[in-house]
Amino acid sequence: MRCTMGRIMNSELSLLALWGYGLATLGYIALTVHLVHLRRTTAPNRTNHVLISAVALSALWAATGAIVHLLNWRELQPLHEALDALRYGAWFMLLTLLLSPSPTDRSPPPQWRPSRLIFIGGTLIFIGLFCQSLRLIDPLSPVAEHAAHYAGLALVVFGIVLVEQLYRNTTEDSRWNIKPLAIGLVAIFLFDLYYYSTAVMFKQIDEDAFAIRGFAYVFIIPLLILTVYRTRARPLNVTLSKTAVFQTTTLALVGLYLLATSAAGYYVRYLGGSWGGALQMVVLFAALLLLMLLGLSGSMRARLKVLIGKNFFRYRYDYREEWLKFTNALCAENSVLQLGQQVIRGLGNMVESPAGSLWTKDASGHKFIQSARWNFPVSDITEPSNSPMITSLDASGWVLSLEEFRSRPGRYGSLTLPPWLLEVPNAWLVIPLRTSAGMVGFVLLTTSRTPIDLNWEVNDLLKTAGRQAATFLAQMQATEALLESRKFDSFNRMSAFVVHDLKNILTQLSLMVRNAERHADNVEFQKDMLLTVRHAVDRMRQLMLQLREGATPADGFSGVSLDEIARRVQKSKSGALPAVDLKIHDAVSIRGHEERIERVIGHLVQNALDATPTEGKVWMAVRREAGMAQIEVGDTGQGMSADFIRERLFKPFQTTKQGGMGIGAYESRQYIQELGGEIHVESEENVGTCFRVRLPLLEIQTTSDLQQPEMK
């Protein structure tokens, strides 16, 4: 038996093929009867009718295959393969109908419906049937036989494309329904891909593949039944995706291109005589090189997207995908420059523009300057914020097409464009970036890779995307301005602390100068004066270092004696009235900056002196209290109200003293809290005030503490 192989199949394989095609015939007949019975219990549906037709044609195809092997009837072979093409057509029709959007699908409806896919599939089926007709006329013609193999391979590729398209566009909820059908058809199509590929490459059909082809179709019957019952339980919902259509169309075109290349190579080899093999290799190499060039061409991809958008969809854009892609690009950047580049790139990709530039307002707000660019030269051109173009863009929000402005200037009224814009090479679109507060900037895009019709849809998308980009840019600029303001605020706060400390030093030096008039001849006073001046100079040097470096003094935390600090503070206030009384109940040590702790205690003592009349009392006491070091500063002065302590005492720039800055108490509490301590205040008006500063103890072990008695 010839079976399109040019040689007789052995009896064992023929018997195996008979069993396979026979089982397939019985299985598909039973499935057809079952589907007809189910149709009576359901509402009329085109999909069900097409499914029944596909299953019935599969049964006829399997039956002719079984008859060919049972009766050794070679003349039925072309009819068997013609039924194969018709069966493929029925499956194509089923997949195309499933690809049609469901009534509950709210995505933009496709313009093409199933008609265009039906046309492509019908053309391929017609070619296959025509090739089988040629074989009936001349059964021994190798050209007709190989043409039939190529037609079968084209049908397989188109079937794989349809299944891939269906699976991609099915929603997540409905994918469970369609999965068995997709798996079964893909398995069959892949088997047939091998079947026809070997026939094309080796110019004959593989005997083993031909023999078990019937069994392969038997195996998918359970998957078809499972799909039918799943679809009845839960309706199928397909949402058409532009990305999926683009990828699928690309796959189909590549497959058809490779088929055409393979066919061309075969006929070059067949007609080329002794040079046939060499010419075939040249053709294949040139075809693969051309395929790589086309695949990596941005212009070709752009043209293909435009072609798909025009011919397959009512709307050009998949808005969900465009919006997610554009938003993700804007959110990924954390600086105005990087964000500006993403704005240009995102807007350019929407209209296939390969380059562009962004102009935003400068610091003065009086002009727009180039702040970012993408494949665009650096430009120092500025545009005044009150120019006619900016005013028009701000008022209308339109996307300005320079090509349209040149060809139809009347559309834009009396608008005049700046000369520099008309001189930019390949300048195409000016997209305003507007918020409710006004113009943030504008983007200039160059001519697209492929001709694009700037209809209302493109204009609306660019205008809306421009608003979103303007919001991101304005937010980024506001964030940077806020950070800069916070830096100045931090510097001003530090300056306020420094000025406050300088005021205290100045007060101390002023007191020394007043006392110098009475005690200038006193040797002890002169020594104290020199020590005071030296101490003041050291403190001012540290303050200048802190102001320059913008940080706390460089010396780290160290152990300091709190009672020694209290003695120094008492000594520094020795000339004040009333005199400061000091009681050391316990010698305690703490961890911190010695100068800053002394400044905190000195501030509290000075406040007590300022609030207390000369006949009053000011005191300090140092002790160990509940595992903490405590220093108490009290007075019998004018005191404070509870409201003042709660609402104003530890807030910056709040003071009751004339010439005071209201920084000392705030700074003191901040530093004490940094050390892990706390400040407690008890005060009563016209009675007095008591501050208790509690700090963690620093236990210092002496050498004698570390010595342990020897055990005898």
Side-chain angles (χ1 to χ4, degrees), residues 403-415:
E403 293 180 355
E404 187 178 46
F405 181 83
R406 294 187 182 98
S407 60
R408 298 169 56 191
R411 175 176 171 79
Y412 297 94
S414 59
L415 173 64

Side-chain angles (χ1 to χ4, degrees), residues 21 35-36 46 90 102 120 151 169 175 206 245 248 274 286 312 371 398-399 416 543 548 554 608 613 657 676 710:
Y21 284 106
L35 291 176
V36 171
R46 287 188 304 169
S102 66
I120 298 173
N169 291 287
R175 194 165 289 173
D206 188 313
V245 172
T248 304
S274 60
F312 289 86
S371 58
W398 289 352
V399 176
T416 57
L543 292 175
R548 182 175 68 250
K657 296 189 296 183
E710 295 182 2

Side-chain angles (χ1 to χ4, degrees), residues 108 142 253 328 330 463 541 547:
L253 291 176
N328 290 336
L330 296 182
K463 184 168 63 174
R541 184 179 293 112
L547 185 63

Side-chain angles (χ1 to χ4, degrees), residues 154 283 327 464 481 569:
V283 170
T327 303
T464 308
V569 172

Side-chain angles (χ1 to χ4, degrees), residues 373-413:
R373 57 193 181 89
W374 175 52
N375 300 331
F376 197 90
V378 178
S379 175
D380 57 356
I381 295 173
T382 62
E383 181 67 17
S385 57
N386 58 352
S387 69
M389 183 185 74
I390 299 298
T391 304
S392 175
L393 291 176
D394 190 15
S396 65
W398 289 352
V399 176
L400 173 60
S401 172
L402 298 180
E403 293 180 355
E404 187 178 46
F405 181 83
R406 294 187 182 98
S407 60
R408 298 169 56 191
R411 175 176 171 79
Y412 297 94

Side-chain angles (χ1 to χ4, degrees), residues 647-698:
E647 298 177 2
R648 298 180 59 189
L649 176 60
F650 293 111
K651 292 186 178 180
F653 309 111
Q654 300 287 336
T655 182
T656 58
K657 296 189 296 183
Q658 186 176 4
M661 299 185 62
I663 290 293
Y666 172 78
E667 181 188 16
S668 299
R669 189 174 71 165
Q670 289 290 107
Y671 183 61
I672 294 301
Q673 289 177 345
E674 289 178 13
L675 297 178
E678 55 189 3
I679 298 181
H680 294 281
V681 184
E682 295 179 3
S683 183
E684 186 177 349
E685 291 183 290
N686 301 320
V687 175
T689 302
C690 181
F691 283 86
R692 292 185 178 88
V693 179
R694 305 182 68 200
L695 292 165
L697 278 168
L698 177 65

Side-chain angles (χ1 to χ4, degrees), residues 322-475:
E322 293 290 341
W323 216 247
L324 288 176
K325 183 170 60 178
F326 190 57
T327 303
N328 290 336
L330 296 182
C331 293
E333 306 303 338
N334 55 8
S335 72
V336 174
L337 177 61
Q338 294 174 339
L339 178 61
Q341 292 176 343
Q342 289 300 328
V343 167
I344 303 167
R345 186 190 298 267
L347 294 174
N349 288 338
M350 290 179 182
V351 290
E352 302 298 338
S353 175
S357 181
L358 169 67
W359 270 261
T360 56
K361 284 185 178 180
D362 65 350
S364 66
H366 299 311
K367 58 185 178 181
F368 290 84
I369 61 174
Q370 186 188 56
S371 58
R373 57 193 181 89
W374 175 52
N375 300 331
F376 197 90
V378 178
S379 175
D380 57 356
I381 295 173
T382 62
E383 181 67 17
S385 57
N386 58 352
S387 69
M389 183 185 74
I390 299 298
T391 304
S392 175
L393 291 176
D394 190 15
S396 65
W398 289 352
V399 176
L400 173 60
S401 172
L402 298 180
E403 293 180 355
E404 187 178 46
F405 181 83
R406 294 187 182 98
S407 60
R408 298 169 56 191
R411 175 176 171 79
Y412 297 94
S414 59
L415 173 64
T416 57
L417 297 182
W420 67 266
L421 182 60
L422 299 174
E423 295 173 358
V424 175
N426 298 325
W428 180 35
L429 298 179
V430 179
I431 305 172
L433 307 181
R434 301 168 59 247
T435 64
S436 57
M439 285 282 292
V440 175
F442 62 90
V443 172
L444 174 63
L445 296 179
T446 60
T447 306
S448 63
R449 301 181 182 93
T450 183
I452 291 180
D453 181 21
L454 292 177
N455 55 19
W456 62 268
E457 183 186 7
V458 178
N459 278 278
D460 284 351
L461 178 64
L462 291 177
K463 184 168 63 174
T464 308
R467 285 184 175 273
Q468 185 185 21
T471 303
F472 272 80
L473 283 171
Q475 182 179 5

